[in-house]
Amino acid sequence: MADRTNIEWTDATWNPIRARFETSHGDEPGKPRLGWHCEHVSEGCRRCYAESINRRLGTLLPFKPGHRRDVDISLDETMLAQPLRWKRPRMIFVCSMTDLFADFVPDAMIDALFAIMALTPHHTYQVLTKRPERMQRYMEGRAGRLARFMIDEYLIKGAANLPSRGRAIDVSWPVASVGSIDDPHDFTMRHWPMPNVWLGASVEDQAA
């Protein structure tokens, strides 16, 4: 998570999907390393900046399919809720250190990120993937589940259940923008796809 970034086409990065690795070497063998996980899918992944960062500052592992069994993929709840605390509108690059639509990311994690994006219409989210097939399947089939997740987890349970640093988070204001709490389908019909979410596919040549 970074409220500021050197990436010139965005204002902030948001990386709530993390990978935990129990290292067996280095200065502190056995100490868990927290970083990220991804896997190469095309030639365009050869010089991945995120992989380079992860090998220095994260799990220390390269982004290879074989390392999927070595890491635990989890959702950082504190990072997940961070955009709710940002009052000033931002352009936010989603999962700059991995691919949100990689097959090692469960649907439930994607639901959680989209719920936060729905609850923060003042932000604009940039979601890039090298797996556009899964992105398309998700966008065509998950709006109803997203609406129910958003209402159950964030609007009904309220701010007390959101991770907070020093103060409660008031999330009551998005109710008007998502429609009736009694009818999550109202959200599905009026607000899907969400206008504050930009979807893109990263491609390098016609064959890919």
Side-chain angles (χ1 to χ4, degrees):
M1 168 64 67
D3 191 10
R4 298 176 181 83
T5 178
N6 290 327
I7 302 174
E8 62 184 10
W9 43 263
T10 197
D11 299 322
T13 57
W14 183 38
N15 286 285
I17 297 176
R18 305 302 300 272
R20 185 174 180 269
F21 173 54
E22 298 279 350
T23 181
S24 59
H25 62 281
D27 296 334
E28 299 179 90
K31 182 178 180 180
R33 297 282 309 192
L34 188 62
W36 306 269
H37 177 72
C38 201
E39 298 171 10
H40 292 199
V41 292
S42 73
E43 183 63 23
C45 298
R46 181 181 292 273
R47 294 179 177 83
C48 176
Y49 74 88
E51 181 178 28
S52 177
I53 293 172
N54 187 60
R55 295 189 71 168
R56 290 186 294 109
L57 304 174
T59 65
L60 309 180
L61 299 173
F63 284 169
K64 295 183 177 180
H67 287 303
R68 188 185 303 196
R69 64 177 179 268
D70 298 325
V71 298
D72 293 321
I73 306 296
S74 63
L75 196 62
D76 186 312
E77 294 287 344
T78 299
M79 288 187 179
L80 177 67
Q82 190 67 32
L84 294 168
R85 303 186 182 95
W86 290 345
K87 302 304 181 185
R88 177 177 61 80
R90 289 166 169 80
M91 187 81 73
I92 301 172
F93 181 14
V94 178
C95 290
S96 65
M97 294 296 294
T98 188
D99 191 324
L100 181 61
F101 290 96
D103 61 1
F104 55 81
V105 180
D107 281 346
M109 289 188 184
I110 303 176
D111 289 343
L113 268 72
F114 269 83
I116 294 295
M117 290 189 277
L119 288 168
T120 52
H122 58 299
H123 298 319
T124 299
Y125 294 89
Q126 298 161 300
V127 184
L128 298 176
T129 185
K130 284 187 177 292
R131 284 89 168 173
E133 298 86 358
R134 188 182 181 199
M135 175 187 274
Q136 181 179 12
R137 291 195 303 270
Y138 179 89
M139 297 304 293
E140 289 176 347
R142 311 233 4 128
R145 176 171 174 173
L146 166 66
R148 175 48 63 191
F149 177 94
M150 182 174 62
I151 290 169
D152 287 350
E153 295 297 322
Y154 292 97
L155 299 186
I156 293 178
K157 292 182 181 179
N161 288 281
L162 288 171
S164 178
R165 292 180 179 175
R167 62 184 180 86
I169 305 166
D170 180 7
V171 297
S172 60
W173 63 268
V175 172
S177 67
V178 300
S180 168
I181 284 183
D182 296 326
D183 183 13
H185 186 66
D186 185 48
F187 168 84
T188 303
M189 296 301 293
R190 294 195 297 113
H191 297 281
W192 191 262
M194 294 184 290
N196 66 321
V197 179
W198 296 1
L199 303 176
S202 173
V203 296
E204 57 266 15
D205 56 34
Q206 190 61 42

